[in-house]
Amino acid sequence: MKKNIAIVMGGYSSEVNISLKSGNVVFNHLDKEKYNPFRVHILKEKWVVLDDNGNEYPILKDDFSFVLKGNRVNFDCVFNAIHGAPGENGMLLSYFELIKIPHTSAPFYQMALTFNKRDTLSVVKAYGIKTAVSVYLNRGDEINLEKIVEKVGLPCFVKPNNAGSSYGISKAHNLDQIMPAIEKAFQEDSEILIESFLDGVEVSVGVIEYKGEVKVLPITEIVSENDFFDYEAKYEGKSQEITPASISLEEQQKVNQIAKKVYNILNMSGFSRSEYILVNCEPYFLEMNTVPGLTEESILPQQAQAAGISLKELFDNAIESSLNGFK
């Protein structure tokens, strides 16, 4: 019997279109001899299953099933391709865990933790992982720009605390640029993070569970044409992504060791892609993405390919790990 797989995509954040692309790539690469994959759009206005002709069938939320030609279809597993809320912040996954449907991501608490940049940094710092100096603000807090600069220095980065991707992030080079950057970040989230600028080589590294073990994928070096790895650089080709990274063997070993350590510290499972800045051969942890882009051009699939893992194998492994209860 082929397993029914719900590929959830879309979401409630600014990343909805990127998620739809990722979800469709998963749909196209899943082994149709082994699985019955279904595209499921989770959107603010509707939860629907799409057939091959684009017809929509409402999801019944009591058990996440739908009715097709008079028959109720239940899912054996959910493949999570939602970037941002509610897929990457744990909200949707807590629902799947309550109704006992396996999913390809980490448990909901780990997803919620890693979606919150401040809380993730506070956990990893306790284990000796190097990070940037940061200031945290809630909407409505009194803002003292001079004190912020005294702590983090210039230039600095201003970013939403609970948002994925690169929406709402700015690099402020002087005092006058910080307030507009803060206002931009608050458009995406009610909590923001202001971080010191780390002058070094930016690398991204995927860590996944693969065939029952934690596996660190080949490292990618990010060379942005823009001032930093922003939305344009990430999604519109304004960057070079070099896999494997052209860094020293010592730097590779340090990044691999720390990336695996961070994955284990955070009790992760499923997919992850973390960003680091190498400063004087030392990796500084920036953040972890737990639903990274999954298109053919995305960084984690590039890294999997460099490790000799096809998209079909990558996605199949995620489902099998979930069904076998690895997490």
Side-chain angles (χ1 to χ4, degrees):
M1 286 286 288
K2 290 199 279 187
K3 301 285 189 185
N4 292 332
I5 309 299
I7 304 163
V8 297
M9 59 187 91
Y12 304 163
S13 75
S14 304
E15 299 176 80
V16 58
N17 290 325
I18 303 158
S19 171
L20 292 173
K21 285 182 186 175
S22 288
N24 279 300
V25 169
V26 175
F27 178 79
N28 291 331
H29 284 271
L30 271 190
D31 186 347
K32 307 295 194 294
E33 300 294 314
K34 193 173 178 181
Y35 306 115
N36 293 316
F38 293 88
R39 290 171 295 167
V40 182
H41 287 193
I42 303 289
L43 304 168
K44 284 180 180 174
E45 64 276 14
K46 59 187 176 183
W47 289 21
V48 293
V49 179
L50 267 65
D51 67 14
D52 292 340
N53 299 314
N55 298 312
E56 297 181 350
Y57 303 86
I59 285 282
L60 304 168
K61 294 182 183 176
D62 58 333
D63 65 353
F64 201 70
S65 64
F66 74 103
V67 176
L68 181 66
K69 297 176 182 174
N71 296 313
R72 195 146 170 156
V73 179
N74 292 287
F75 294 110
D76 298 294
C77 180
V78 171
F79 193 110
N80 180 23
I82 297 178
H83 312 308
E88 200 166 2
N89 65 355
M91 192 183 299
L92 189 63
L93 305 176
S94 63
Y95 160 69
F96 292 137
E97 287 168 32
L98 279 171
I99 60 174
K100 301 196 182 323
I101 298 181
H103 60 79
T104 56
S105 289
F108 80 92
Y109 174 75
Q110 274 68 38
M111 299 293 283
L113 171 63
T114 51
F115 196 68
N116 185 305
K117 295 180 178 74
R118 177 196 65 169
D119 291 357
T120 306
L121 292 170
S122 67
V123 170
V124 301
K125 277 195 278 195
Y127 287 84
I129 304 296
K130 293 180 170 66
T131 66
V133 176
S134 58
V135 170
Y136 174 82
L137 293 175
N138 287 313
R139 183 180 282 125
D141 283 355
E142 186 180 330
I143 297 169
N144 186 321
L145 296 181
E146 285 77 14
K147 277 193 173 178
I148 290 169
V149 170
E150 188 181 321
K151 184 168 183 185
V152 302
L154 285 168
C156 62
F157 283 100
V158 183
K159 56 180 78 170
N161 187 49
N162 292 287
S165 189
S166 298
Y167 284 100
I169 299 180
S170 304
K171 185 177 178 182
H173 293 267
N174 55 54
L175 198 66
D176 293 339
Q177 292 177 345
I178 297 178
M179 205 61 217
I182 287 172
E183 288 164 2
K184 180 181 176 181
F186 274 138
Q187 287 173 10
E188 292 290 329
D189 190 19
S190 61
E191 306 170 7
I192 68 168
L193 206 60
I194 305 172
E195 292 183 327
S196 60
F197 169 65
L198 296 169
D199 192 5
V201 176
E202 182 167 357
V203 295
S204 183
V205 58
V207 183
I208 61 174
E209 57 182 41
Y210 191 70
K211 296 186 176 176
E213 295 182 358
V214 174
K215 183 176 180 65
V216 182
L217 297 173
I219 301 162
T220 298
E221 182 179 346
I222 309 294
V223 183
S224 176
E225 292 175 24
N226 293 352
D227 199 19
F228 64 98
F229 195 42
D230 60 4
Y231 182 88
E232 273 193 339
K234 189 174 285 187
Y235 295 113
E236 296 176 3
K238 295 290 184 76
S239 68
Q240 278 184 283
E241 295 161 6
I242 304 160
T243 310
S246 56
I247 56 178
S248 71
L249 182 60
E250 183 188 356
E251 288 171 323
Q252 285 178 44
Q253 289 170 340
K254 283 188 176 180
V255 171
N256 285 347
Q257 179 189 3
I258 288 173
K260 189 171 187 177
K261 183 178 178 181
V262 166
Y263 190 91
N264 288 325
I265 285 168
L266 296 169
N267 200 22
M268 283 299 300
S269 55
F271 295 107
S272 79
R273 197 197 73 234
S274 297
E275 322 303 326
Y276 293 85
I277 302 285
L278 285 161
V279 181
N280 299 324
C281 203
E282 290 298 323
Y284 284 70
F285 173 79
L286 296 180
E287 64 183 47
M288 178 181 282
N289 299 289
T290 53
V291 186
L294 295 171
T295 69
E296 288 91 340
E297 303 80 28
S298 298
I299 292 173
L300 190 131
Q302 282 181 40
Q303 295 175 347
Q305 186 179 21
I309 303 168
S310 68
L311 288 182
K312 183 178 174 182
E313 291 169 324
L314 186 70
F315 301 152
D316 181 83
N317 174 77
I319 290 168
E320 289 304 312
S321 295
S322 173
L323 291 170
N324 294 331
F326 180 76
K327 51 178 169 284

